[in-house]
């Protein structure tokens, strides 16, 4: 798509230890993008001093605080803040790209470049884990086998949906109602509405972000809970 700007939203709940690495990676990806990028960190019910990070990553990284304890509502609040900041009447939202990741993830330098060049209404990427210390070798093998099974063998696509790695056109996002206030699966819900509205969805196997293999997940049915269910089969957690 022809793009005039991009927005990245990062929801966070007590992520003071992981958030700096995430933001460094997003700032790098923003610097590589051919358009201005506004990054919005949504601190949801944080009690760990995450707010002290505000101002350390440049003027284009904004911090907002909410108290909802809900990842879907947090993502929605971030995009609503960005829309107000950019000025809904001042920009052509068909030329604005939205992207979102998670505070425990790190994006690659070409993360936004790949999305902006996809000529799609939505782009879905994959995740990779680089630190498996908490899990047994058998649990890791099971996870990897199942994850790879969902990679399509033709067309270069995949069947995964990760809130840690997705982007979409701003105008379509608002047209279909944006992120719902869901504690889990807010990403899957949004994708389904894009699909039902007949939008072009590009599933990019090469668009990958590093995410953590932690067991203390924030979303009840999120990635951490999935990893725990895999590990539970052999008693390793």
């Amino acid at each position: 798509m022809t793009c005039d700007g991009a927005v990245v939203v990062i929801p966070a709940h007590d992520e003071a230890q992981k958030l700096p690495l995430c933001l460094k990676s997003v700032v790098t990806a923003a610097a590589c993008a051919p358009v201005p990028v506004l990054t919005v960190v949504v601190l949801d019910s944080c009690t760990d001093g995450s707010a002290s990070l505000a101002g350390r990553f440049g003027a284009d990284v904004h911090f907002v605080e909410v108290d909802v304890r809900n990842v879907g509502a947090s993502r929605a609040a971030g995009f609503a803040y960005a829309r107000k900041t950019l000025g809904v009447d001042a920009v052509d939202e068909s030329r604005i790209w939205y992207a979102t990741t998670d505070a425990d993830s790190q994006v690659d330098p070409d993360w936004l470049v790949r999305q902006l060049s996809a000529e799609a209404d939505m782009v879905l990427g994959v995740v990779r884990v680089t630190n498996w210390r908490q899990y047994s070798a058998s649990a890791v093998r099971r996870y990897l086998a199942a994850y790879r099974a969902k990679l399509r063998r033709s067309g270069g696509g995949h069947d995964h949906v990760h809130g840690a790695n997705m982007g979409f056109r701003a105008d379509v996002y608002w047209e279909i109602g944006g992120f719902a206030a869901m504690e889990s699966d807010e990403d899957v819900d949004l994708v389904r509405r894009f699909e039902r509205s007949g939008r072009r969805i590009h599933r990019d196997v090469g668009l990958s972000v590093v995410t953590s293999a932690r067991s203390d997940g924030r979303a009840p049915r999120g990635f951490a809970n999935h990893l725990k269910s895999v590990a539970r089969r052999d008693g390793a957690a």
Side-chain angles (χ1 to χ4, degrees), residues 109-172:
D110 66 347
W111 184 61
L112 287 170
V113 172
R114 288 185 72 103
Q115 294 183 45
L116 293 172
S117 63
E119 295 297 328
D121 299 314
M122 171 177 270
V123 178
L124 302 176
V126 296
V127 298
R128 64 189 190 273
V129 175
T130 58
N131 185 347
W132 288 104
R133 287 183 302 174
Q134 299 182 70
Y135 295 91
S136 69
S138 59
V140 174
R141 286 194 297 269
R142 280 198 302 275
Y143 164 79
L144 292 175
Y147 196 87
R148 290 165 180 161
K150 293 184 72 174
L151 299 179
R152 294 176 181 165
R153 297 191 178 187
S154 62
H158 62 86
D159 290 328
H160 296 286
V161 175
H162 298 287
N165 193 4
M166 63 193 306
F168 33 83
R169 279 176 42 173
D171 59 332
V172 180

Side-chain angles (χ1 to χ4, degrees), residues 15 17-18 104 129-143 211-218 223-237:
E15 302 280 9
Q17 292 185 341
K18 296 181 175 65
D104 66 339
V129 175
T130 58
N131 185 347
W132 288 104
R133 287 183 302 174
Q134 299 182 70
Y135 295 91
S136 69
S138 59
V140 174
R141 286 194 297 269
R142 280 198 302 275
Y143 164 79
T211 196
S212 71
R214 65 186 182 188
S215 57
D216 58 334
R218 304 300 191 253
F223 188 66
N225 185 67
H226 170 64
L227 291 179
K228 285 176 69 175
S229 69
V230 173
R232 202 173 293 127
R233 298 177 197 173
D234 63 2

